[in-house]
Amino acid sequence: MSIQTTLALTPDNPLSFFEIAINRPLFQSFTYAYTKDIQPGTRVLVTLGKSTEIGIVLSSYQTSPKVDYSINLIDKIIDDSPTLSEEILQLIRWTSQYYFQPIGELVFTFVPNYLKQNKPLTSLHLEVFSALPDIHPPTLAKNAKKQAFALEYLTKHPNCPKDRLSAAGITRSTLSELIKKQLIIKEFRAPAAILNAPNKDTSLSLTEEQSAAVQAVIEAKDQFSSFLLEGITGSGKTEVYLHICQFFLTRQQQVLLLVPEIGLTPQLAERLQSQLTAPVITLHSELANKERASRWLQTHQPMPMVVIGTRSAVACNLPKLGCIILDEEHDASFKQQDGIRYHSRSVAIKRAQLKNIPIVLGSATPSLETLTNSYQKRYQHLTLTQRATGAKLPVTIIEDTASLPTNELFTEHTLHTINTTLSNNQQVLIFINRRGFAPTLQCSQCHWVAECDHCDIALTVHQSTNSVDCHHCESKHPIPKRCPRCNSPYLAPLGYGTERIESELTQRFSNIPVLRMDRDSTQKKGSIEKIRDQLLQNKPCILVGTQMVSKGHNFPNLTLTVVLNCDNGLYSQDFRAKEHLLQNIIQVAGRSGRGDKPGKVIIQSSFIDHPLFDYIKQQDFRGFAKEELKNREKLSLPPFSHQAAIRMQSLMDNSAYTQLLKVEQALKAYKASQSNDNLDISLTMPAAVERKSNWYRYLIMLSSRDRKHLHHYLNVAHNYLMTMPRTKKLKWVIDVDPLDTW
Ligand code: ADP
Ligand code: ZN
Ligand code: ZN
């Protein structure tokens, strides 16, 4: 049914009006009416055009709104309580404005998939059992041992969910008997986090530096304050987090601990859970939909708890949030790079500010943005300069590969060192940032290279699946038997990926287990844990891995790290490439020598004279940062300027280019009309990989030393973009603080 906005709010017409976000890539919210008040954050069903959509109430209007369309009634209220709190809605609004992201899509980015459907929150409720009080003594037969046990258990654990009872060996039939006797009751409740009994008290006495760090954060309780915790690898940052958690939990508050990768959550959760009484809840995208939603709902409760989560967990409810910790703050995975674009670190800082609580950004190799913020005293700088166990940082050696034959992977010295390490019963890590068998398949006769039909990129050879795969659009193809250009049968994989290294090392060291950790080998649930467990047995073995191996792991018997193929990062066009390379290498080097045996790192490169290697050898990230910041200042690059990209892409043809040129011209014309020209507008340029999944992609970069000024221009650009025809074949997005800039 439709009503007119002119309809007055009279006692006969007691309608309320609401601003509603809908999960569509649209910038506006929608206005709907209902016969009674609805709290912001509540999910509703509305009709939009011909379809029924889930909406979330953002706010209610005090007076009837003036819009030029007829306002529909809300079809149905899904839940009688809000899914998102007012605090989170406020945070999302800020994010939408700061990042120029459509409010509807953004709201739903932070809602678990299960709740993007028309399923009430009550469908997540659990069957819980409790003993009924005041029935003494229980009227149980002497031989009803199972019932007596169940009754006793429930007296100790009220509101006990069914699966926990099953785990304790209590069956449904025993429970039914007790219900019949009216000794216990069954109810349905919102899932609640379960208290935990710490299984060991291995609380370490903190080093002086650690104590000082914990103390500084504790002192900042109940006020907004940002900290950079810069601690070398193995310096005990996690121990600092643990003590911070402990403090806030005893104040009956909650702590949000954000990590860059799913792979890091189980071990971190285990470590915290083994020492904290409060529940530790992990939230990430690999959980089954219902499980994730259920855990997410647990975080709505005001009880003390720690939530460990990836990117989007930044907006989980946590009404009693007392502190936010962001581990590996420099990690690019905190920035969502496709679809909705936002940086979890910035949103987390905003959240801490809105809530007036401290936030800790931890890293061994802080981003230059964060480092600058601490130099400029916007963040308090806490440092851990020693490894907590007293272990020394590993010694680093750069190996020259310039004269290595193309089919040889390791230099003689590297091989020798691997050998010695293994024969000393220690473990070796081989790090290469490339999964698959080989990055290219080439014809030996005519040098044809297998490329994706849909992307401007070479296909990667995968031996395990016998296919050539595109790592951009995920398409897979059988390995061709003959060259499509010259019909030669001599097609050869060129270069190395993790699979190939694994297979070569397996041949070479036949009596030593070679394990591989990359996205392909860890598809199955629990496979990371399996690899971890094997390394923790401390027997000699070789671990070959990508980025995945570089963070968080603590393998005491791993004493040699070999870094392969880092040369791309030395001469990349991306101004952040060197920073990221160094962060990566220091992280992965930090896996070596964490126990009582000294560690070693070998980096193979064809450019051993590159100045970056001086910093790498000394593990001198600060020294690098100092030099690099000088450069960036000279060139007016971030953090000395702020950037935003306007990205546009078109399907099947490059029409986005012409469209984006118009935006460039409009912006430049606008700039010419302004007196203040503290802003640079680049030419329209193709993305690093121009065609991806048949989308042709272009961008314009805007940069200014003045953030307000940049945002002013983005507003102008946004308004202009909104007037452009929008079709299924043309998409655009504004990317504020982009991490890939070309
Ligand atoms: P980081 O997170 O900085 O890489 P971790 O917190 O993982 O470092 O600590 C590295 C190692 O040092 C772990 O084995 C941890 O148990 C140990 N450790 C941390 N703090 C202390 C301490 N105060 N005393 C002794 N050992 C410690
Ligand atoms: Zn050929
Ligand atoms: Zn592709």
Side-chain angles (χ1 to χ4, degrees):
M1 130 180 204
S2 274
I3 54 161
Q4 294 303 313
T5 41
T6 45
L7 213 61
L9 284 172
T10 63
D12 312 338
N13 235 330
L15 280 177
S16 303
F17 294 91
F18 302 95
E19 182 196 3
I20 290 182
I22 290 172
N23 192 10
R24 290 264 192 99
L26 299 167
F27 281 88
Q28 77 269 36
S29 48
F30 293 83
T31 302
Y32 285 84
Y34 202 61
T35 47
K36 63 176 196 194
D37 194 33
I38 312 171
Q39 268 179 282
T42 305
R43 294 185 307 145
V44 294
L45 274 189
V46 294
T47 306
L48 184 68
K50 282 187 183 135
S51 69
T52 304
E53 303 275 345
I54 309 273
I56 288 190
V57 175
L58 294 174
S59 63
S60 56
Y61 290 95
Q62 300 305 317
T63 52
S64 75
K66 293 194 171 36
V67 290
D68 54 8
Y69 52 87
S70 59
I71 295 178
N72 284 330
L73 280 180
I74 287 171
D75 295 343
K76 182 183 148 195
I77 300 181
I78 302 177
D79 308 305
D80 48 18
S81 63
T83 296
L84 296 172
S85 65
E86 298 246 20
E87 181 199 334
I88 297 300
L89 289 175
Q90 193 188 355
L91 184 68
I92 293 175
R93 270 186 200 279
W94 175 85
T95 308
S96 165
Q97 281 158 13
Y98 181 87
Y99 287 104
F100 289 86
Q101 300 301 305
I103 183 78
E105 256 187 311
L106 190 67
V107 165
F108 282 90
T109 303
F110 296 118
V111 170
N113 284 339
Y114 183 86
L115 297 173
K116 292 175 191 164
Q117 311 163 59
N118 178 15
K119 287 183 182 153
L121 290 174
T122 47
S123 66
L124 287 165
H125 284 191
L126 300 173
E127 225 180 347
V128 296
F129 297 82
S130 303
L132 283 171
D134 300 324
I135 302 182
H136 292 298
T139 43
L140 281 181
K142 270 218 170 68
N143 58 354
K145 292 215 174 85
K146 281 188 192 161
Q147 291 179 31
F149 173 72
L151 191 58
E152 195 191 326
Y153 192 88
L154 284 174
T155 313
K156 278 194 201 141
H157 305 281
N159 297 320
C160 195
K162 175 70 186 61
D163 53 350
R164 199 168 173 206
L165 289 165
S166 309
I170 297 168
T171 62
R172 192 171 277 285
S173 70
T174 309
L175 293 168
S176 305
E177 285 301 315
L178 289 171
I179 291 172
K180 243 189 259 161
K181 292 182 181 145
Q182 297 191 341
L183 295 173
I184 66 168
I185 51 159
K186 176 170 94 172
E187 292 165 291
F188 285 87
R189 293 256 175 114
I194 293 175
L195 277 186
N196 160 66
N199 57 20
K200 52 184 175 203
D201 182 26
T202 46
S203 208
L204 300 163
S205 55
L206 295 181
T207 62
E208 239 170 69
E209 288 181 324
Q210 283 175 320
S211 301
V214 173
Q215 214 46 46
V217 178
I218 286 178
E219 271 162 29
K221 62 182 187 290
D222 303 328
Q223 66 193 50
F224 170 57
S225 188
S226 311
F227 295 89
L228 162 61
L229 175 63
E230 185 187 12
I232 60 167
T233 53
S235 59
K237 292 184 290 298
T238 315
E239 205 60 32
V240 170
Y241 303 155
L242 183 80
H243 280 76
I244 293 173
C245 289
Q246 236 150 10
F247 172 80
F248 286 96
L249 292 172
T250 51
R251 302 181 85 215
Q252 304 299 310
Q253 288 185 308
Q254 302 169 325
V255 179
L256 175 60
L257 176 46
L258 295 170
V259 293
E261 256 163 63
I262 298 166
L264 298 175
T265 53
Q267 42 180 323
L268 196 56
E270 223 172 85
R271 187 155 158 202
L272 295 190
Q273 191 70 94
S274 73
Q275 299 198 27
L276 300 172
T277 321
V280 176
I281 295 175
T282 54
L283 277 181
H284 53 76
S285 57
E286 268 183 15
L287 297 166
N289 278 350
K290 199 165 177 184
E291 173 63 20
R292 187 175 184 198
S294 163
R295 291 194 194 180
W296 189 80
L297 263 195
Q298 292 171 20
T299 70
H300 289 209
Q301 312 225 346
M303 68 190 285
M305 65 174 88
V306 176
V307 173
I308 304 179
T310 45
R311 208 162 51 208
S312 69
V314 67
C316 70
N317 260 352
L318 292 172
K320 296 276 181 203
L321 188 60
C323 182
I324 303 176
I325 301 169
L326 210 120
D327 191 24
E328 313 284 8
E329 70 83 30
H330 63 276
D331 199 295
S333 10
F334 282 118
K335 170 87 198 290
Q336 178 142 326
Q337 309 273 33
D338 45 35
I340 286 286
R341 288 170 189 254
Y342 69 97
H343 200 305
S344 210
R345 183 179 61 212
S346 305
V347 180
I349 291 171
K350 189 64 195 179
R351 185 165 185 188
Q353 193 187 5
L354 290 172
K355 184 91 186 171
N356 237 348
I357 54 169
I359 176 165
V360 181
L361 311 177
S363 175
T365 51
S367 63
L368 296 191
E369 281 79 1
T370 299
L371 211 50
T372 303
N373 275 323
S374 84
Y375 290 157
Q376 296 173 348
K377 305 276 183 251
R378 274 194 291 272
Y379 299 172
Q380 280 190 57
H381 199 161
L382 310 169
T383 48
L384 307 177
T385 55
Q386 306 291 324
R387 278 191 161 176
T389 52
K392 292 268 167 297
L393 279 178
V395 174
T396 305
I397 299 157
I398 316 291
E399 273 289 299
D400 192 353
T401 53
S403 52
L404 202 66
T406 34
N407 50 355
E408 285 291 332
L409 182 55
F410 298 110
T411 66
E412 251 178 58
H413 175 250
T414 306
L415 264 182
H416 175 75
T417 318
I418 294 177
N419 247 320
T420 329
T421 309
L422 294 171
S423 48
N424 287 337
N425 285 325
Q426 294 166 9
Q427 300 169 337
V428 178
L429 168 63
I430 315 277
F431 171 75
I432 181 165
N433 221 347
R434 197 184 261 165
R435 65 194 170 88
F437 187 77
T440 31
L441 182 72
Q442 199 184 49
C443 168
S444 314
Q445 306 279 320
C446 75
H447 304 299
W448 168 87
V449 166
E451 277 181 7
C452 181
D453 291 338
H454 317 289
C455 311
D456 294 330
I457 199 138
L459 295 170
T460 301
V461 184
H462 282 257
Q463 206 172 43
S464 54
T465 46
N466 221 355
S467 58
V468 276
D469 302 359
C470 175
H471 286 184
H472 261 59
C473 69
E474 310 290 337
S475 63
K476 287 180 186 302
H477 319 265
I479 295 179
K481 298 236 170 355
R482 284 177 177 276
C483 170
R485 195 198 281 161
C486 74
N487 209 29
S488 147
Y490 302 111
L491 297 176
L494 201 71
Y496 282 88
T498 45
E499 263 185 25
R500 188 170 198 174
I501 299 171
E502 178 195 21
S503 98
E504 282 201 7
L505 290 172
T506 308
Q507 277 170 24
R508 198 183 277 269
F509 301 98
S510 51
N511 52 346
I512 297 277
V514 180
L515 311 165
R516 173 162 62 94
M517 195 192 282
D518 57 24
R519 206 164 88 204
D520 304 311
S521 75
T522 53
Q523 290 288 329
K524 253 211 232 127
K525 228 178 152 181
S527 42
I528 297 182
E529 283 72 30
K530 236 177 164 171
I531 298 172
R532 242 181 83 213
D533 289 347
Q534 191 160 353
L535 272 118
L536 288 173
Q537 288 178 10
N538 294 338
K539 295 199 186 113
C541 66
I542 303 175
L543 174 63
V544 182
T546 53
Q547 201 98 354
M548 271 186 130
V549 297
S550 66
K551 275 165 273 171
H553 303 287
N554 209 354
F555 303 127
N557 199 30
L558 200 156
T559 58
L560 173 64
T561 296
V562 181
V563 179
L564 301 176
N565 191 47
C566 65
D567 288 349
N568 289 345
L570 296 173
Y571 295 103
S572 165
Q573 285 187 46
D574 177 0
F575 75 87
R576 283 196 182 85
K578 285 204 286 286
E579 176 188 349
H580 289 161
L581 179 63
L582 193 57
Q583 285 164 336
N584 237 317
I585 290 183
I586 291 181
Q587 283 290 342
V588 70
R591 297 315 107 202
S592 171
R594 291 172 79 89
D596 44 15
K597 293 161 220 126
K600 205 179 250 189
V601 181
I602 297 179
I603 298 168
Q604 292 201 163
S605 169
S606 306
F607 306 98
I608 56 167
D609 296 326
H610 195 285
L612 199 66
F613 287 124
D614 293 332
Y615 300 114
I616 291 179
K617 271 188 265 182
Q618 308 298 326
Q619 298 236 356
D620 181 13
F621 188 74
R622 286 272 196 99
F624 161 78
K626 200 170 153 204
E627 259 325 287
E628 179 66 11
L629 283 170
K630 265 191 226 156
N631 272 337
R632 299 243 188 121
E633 175 144 44
K634 224 184 293 162
L635 300 171
S636 264
L637 286 169
F640 300 98
S641 66
H642 307 286
Q643 293 187 324
I646 300 169
R647 300 176 187 274
M648 200 177 271
Q649 52 180 342
S650 44
L651 191 60
M652 303 316 272
D653 62 33
N654 62 359
S655 55
Y657 181 76
T658 353
Q659 293 299 323
L660 194 55
L661 266 183
K662 289 186 198 158
V663 181
E664 182 198 324
Q665 280 153 8
L667 280 174
K668 287 187 171 160
Y670 178 78
K671 185 171 138 95
S673 73
Q674 301 290 304
S675 52
N676 184 347
D677 82 331
N678 177 12
L679 183 109
D680 287 326
I681 303 169
S682 79
L683 296 173
T684 299
M685 53 193 164
V689 176
E690 184 171 345
R691 184 176 52 127
K692 181 175 172 180
S693 301
N694 290 324
W695 284 92
Y696 290 73
R697 310 170 320 147
Y698 306 90
L699 63 128
I700 307 173
M701 285 296 292
L702 269 56
S703 57
S704 172
R705 287 191 171 239
D706 181 348
R707 162 105 36 213
K708 280 210 189 90
H709 207 61
L710 175 66
H711 265 70
H712 174 75
Y713 272 83
L714 289 178
N715 260 314
V716 173
H718 186 254
N719 290 340
Y720 186 80
L721 286 161
M722 292 295 282
T723 64
M724 295 184 90
R726 301 222 281 168
T727 65
K728 285 205 167 111
K729 292 183 170 179
L730 188 81
K731 294 198 273 196
W732 55 262
V733 65
I734 292 180
D735 185 358
V736 179
D737 305 330
L739 284 184
D740 40 352
T741 49
W742 55 290

